[in-house]
Amino acid sequence: MNKLKTISLQGKEYAQVPERVKYFNSNNPNGSIVTKPKIEGEGLAFRAYIYPDVKNMNRKFTGHSFGKLTGEKALEKLECVPLSTQILTREGFKFYHEIKVGEDVLTYNLKEDKNEWQKLEKVSVYKNASLVKMSSSRFSAVFTQDHKWVVDNGKTKKLIPFNEIELKKGNNKIILSASEEVAKGDEDASRLAWLFTDGYLRYTEDMLPTNSLIKQSKKNEIKKLKALFGEPTSIKHFDNWKDSNEWYINADEVRRILGKYKVRTYKDLPNAVSKMSTSDVKMFYQSAMDADGYDTGFAKTYYEIIEAVQICCARLGIKTNKIYTREFDNSTKPIYILPIHKGNGAYTNQLKIKNMPPADVWCPTVKNGTWVAKQNGQVWITGNTVAVGRALAFMGIMADGGIASKEEMDKFKEAEPFKGDEFKKEMRKIEKKQNIAPPLSTR
């Protein structure tokens, strides 16, 4: 078996696509690489099929890419999003220029239907990509035209390119949120949430946290607070109003709770909930909702608290909408509101499509081929894949980040039926013309 040649890239061994193609051809004498090209104006989109053995056409791997023809060269664009789109990391949402290869980002495991933290393998940035907008009354996203989304038809969930999604068909749903595995969490995560919702935290002149006072008049919430902080320190009675139960939390206890999650002020909360275990995230979220949540949303005067709750929702599989503000006559600050929905997706027959002006875009690379994005205040799960290189990776031939797992390979066994040798000829024509350019920046 011939050895796969690699180059050193960003301190890692990387096998370029031409080398992987040579490796495949030399070690799979009965194999075939086939593409289905489609050229419209200056745009080039194609699907790559890889058959290890043409005698067994049921065993196949597939990938997609979209590029713009520029005379002699075509720039391969990944499944990308505008530069304003963020990715969820262990340190909260970050822009493309803030993340680093090797750090944890939140992805979606299609086979197990749950979120997973995975190492970021690559960041690619491209100029002037064609974009499309997909939207409904509760969802909107802008992305490149060959972008993939997780579609649930009621029986199976598949990563499907946007241009192949049947928008008018029945109850097909694009999955926008999913949960991680959840076990029983730490009650200190609940205490942390109460300190920043119904609590009044005090600080020294040097911003060192001291004590806190928590006030609550709702019967159900009073019971939960007693379980966390003991009996109330005092109860105040009011005419024509509910009694106010108050808990005085001393400085040592406040600092213990905040120190456990490396929090000093509310500005540290998005980072804290991103680092928490999923079980602690659930405890934090439930207590935050008990304090300031309602049937269809969560409201607070500090944006970072709202963002922390939105990150909790992303990790727990709870769909949210764009954060907005509302001002009240008796309030000195605007109120930030996070809409929260019961469903986890958007039905394809309700979506509207609109072409958008070209823009610079970026895309991360992770093994699951999916990631959790935040765009224009909305959070959703979306896909990323590259055509021939990704299909070879799913077969197990080295790509950036290593050898594909069996789960990844199984995920892409289904593809369109093989349609003949004409695509081989088309591929050869494209290979002669096409010289894939590297990203503008890679981290």
Side-chain angles (χ1 to χ4, degrees):
M1 181 175 286
N2 293 344
K3 186 178 179 181
L4 183 63
K5 290 176 61 177
T6 62
I7 62 171
S8 179
L9 181 65
Q10 301 292 321
K12 298 170 65 177
E13 290 302 306
Y14 176 75
Q16 295 175 296
V17 171
E19 287 300 323
R20 280 182 271 157
V21 171
K22 291 178 184 177
Y23 177 90
F24 172 84
N25 288 333
S26 63
N27 292 290
N28 297 272
N30 294 323
S32 177
I33 298 177
V34 183
T35 62
K36 179 182 178 181
K38 183 178 181 181
I39 298 175
E40 293 182 356
E42 294 185 345
L44 165 66
F46 69 93
R47 168 179 283 185
Y49 303 96
I50 292 181
Y51 298 86
D53 188 344
V54 293
K55 295 179 181 178
N56 180 12
M57 303 307 291
N58 291 323
R59 186 167 183 261
K60 49 188 172 287
F61 305 87
T62 187
H64 305 78
S65 73
F66 175 82
K68 182 181 179 182
L69 297 172
T70 56
E72 296 179 356
K73 296 183 178 181
L75 174 64
E76 182 189 32
K77 291 184 174 62
L78 308 181
E79 297 174 18
C80 291
V81 290
L83 298 184
S84 59
T85 308
Q86 296 171 287
I87 186 170
L88 183 53
T89 75
R90 290 284 194 185
E91 297 177 343
F93 282 102
K94 291 185 178 182
F95 291 102
Y96 76 98
H97 62 279
E98 298 173 321
I99 55 179
K100 295 180 181 178
V101 168
E103 70 175 299
D104 286 341
V105 297
L106 195 61
T107 71
Y108 172 64
N109 185 317
L110 185 68
K111 184 176 180 180
E112 298 185 18
D113 190 25
K114 68 177 184 181
N115 287 339
E116 288 181 339
W117 292 99
Q118 288 190 332
K119 299 295 182 185
L120 178 67
E121 297 177 358
K122 188 177 180 181
V123 177
S124 303
V125 182
Y126 299 97
K127 283 189 172 295
N128 201 35
S130 298
L131 296 173
V132 65
K133 181 178 181 179
M134 177 171 63
S135 63
S136 67
S137 60
R138 295 183 175 182
F139 164 71
S140 68
V142 178
F143 47 91
T144 51
Q145 297 186 22
D146 204 39
H147 205 83
K148 277 189 178 178
W149 297 87
V150 180
V151 177
D152 182 1
N153 64 7
K155 297 179 181 179
T156 60
K157 296 181 179 69
K158 293 182 179 180
L159 267 172
I160 299 178
F162 163 73
N163 55 22
E164 294 183 18
I165 295 175
E166 298 181 71
L167 296 175
K168 303 299 181 182
K169 185 176 179 180
N171 293 321
N172 287 352
K173 180 171 67 173
I174 294 178
I175 300 298
L176 302 173
S177 62
S179 178
E180 302 169 58
E181 291 182 351
V182 181
K184 182 174 174 54
D186 191 328
E187 289 184 340
D188 279 340
S190 293
R191 295 186 179 101
L192 181 70
W194 281 107
L195 288 177
F196 284 99
T197 48
D198 279 355
Y200 297 85
L201 275 166
R202 297 182 177 92
Y203 292 85
T204 66
E205 291 182 357
D206 297 327
M207 289 305 294
L208 182 69
T210 58
N211 53 51
S212 177
L213 187 66
I214 298 175
K215 298 181 180 181
Q216 185 55 249
S217 58
K218 298 176 184 176
K219 186 175 180 180
N220 289 338
E221 277 54 72
I222 289 171
K223 183 178 179 180
K224 294 172 184 175
L225 283 166
K226 285 182 178 180
L228 292 170
F229 297 101
E231 290 298 317
T233 308
S234 63
I235 301 176
K236 290 188 177 180
H237 303 280
F238 300 94
D239 294 333
N240 302 320
W241 192 250
K242 297 178 182 178
D243 294 345
S244 174
N245 287 249
E246 299 182 354
W247 286 262
Y248 173 82
I249 316 298
N250 64 48
D252 287 343
E253 178 65 359
V254 169
R255 292 171 185 170
R256 183 192 71 80
I257 296 169
L258 269 58
K260 187 171 185 176
Y261 296 100
K262 295 181 173 56
V263 170
R264 177 171 292 189
T265 72
Y266 64 90
K267 293 182 179 180
D268 300 319
L269 287 176
N271 190 314
V273 297
S274 298
K275 285 185 168 69
M276 282 181 186
S277 67
T278 317
S279 50
D280 284 7
V281 165
K282 186 173 183 179
M283 300 288 279
F284 181 97
Y285 173 77
Q286 288 177 337
S287 294
M289 291 298 292
D290 287 340
D292 290 311
Y294 50 97
D295 286 344
T296 58
F298 178 84
K300 203 66 187 170
T301 54
Y302 295 105
Y303 182 86
E304 287 84 354
I305 298 177
I306 292 286
E307 186 176 34
V309 172
Q310 188 178 46
I311 291 172
C312 290
C313 290
R315 295 188 59 183
L316 296 172
I318 301 168
K319 183 174 175 289
T320 60
N321 209 329
K322 183 179 178 180
I323 298 169
Y324 65 94
T325 58
R326 181 176 292 176
E327 295 186 6
F328 297 92
D329 293 338
N330 60 348
S331 176
T332 58
K333 297 179 180 179
I335 304 295
Y336 292 98
I337 298 174
L338 173 68
I340 297 174
H341 305 301
K342 293 181 179 179
N344 69 336
Y347 286 99
T348 57
N349 58 10
Q350 298 175 0
L351 294 171
K352 296 179 180 179
I353 309 303
K354 180 182 179 181
N355 289 325
M356 304 294 288
D360 295 351
V361 295
W362 79 280
C363 184
T365 298
V366 292
K367 286 185 178 179
N368 269 344
T370 58
W371 56 291
V372 175
K374 182 176 182 179
Q375 184 184 102
N376 194 28
Q378 288 192 320
V379 177
W380 25 260
I381 293 169
T382 192
N384 73 281
T385 318
V386 285
V388 175
R390 191 65 178 175
L392 286 164
F394 285 144
M395 185 184 167
I397 298 177
M398 184 178 179
D400 190 9
I403 305 300
S405 67
K406 181 178 183 301
E407 287 75 22
E408 286 179 307
M409 293 163 65
D410 290 341
K411 188 168 64 175
F412 276 78
K413 280 185 178 178
E414 293 186 8
E416 287 186 358
F418 179 70
K419 294 184 179 180
D421 291 341
E422 63 271 22
F423 294 128
K424 292 182 185 179
K425 296 177 182 178
E426 290 296 327
M427 180 185 177
R428 299 298 174 239
K429 293 178 184 177
I430 292 172
E431 284 181 335
K432 289 180 180 179
K433 294 180 180 178
Q434 190 176 30
N435 182 7
I436 297 174
L440 298 175
S441 65
T442 303
R443 292 173 177 79

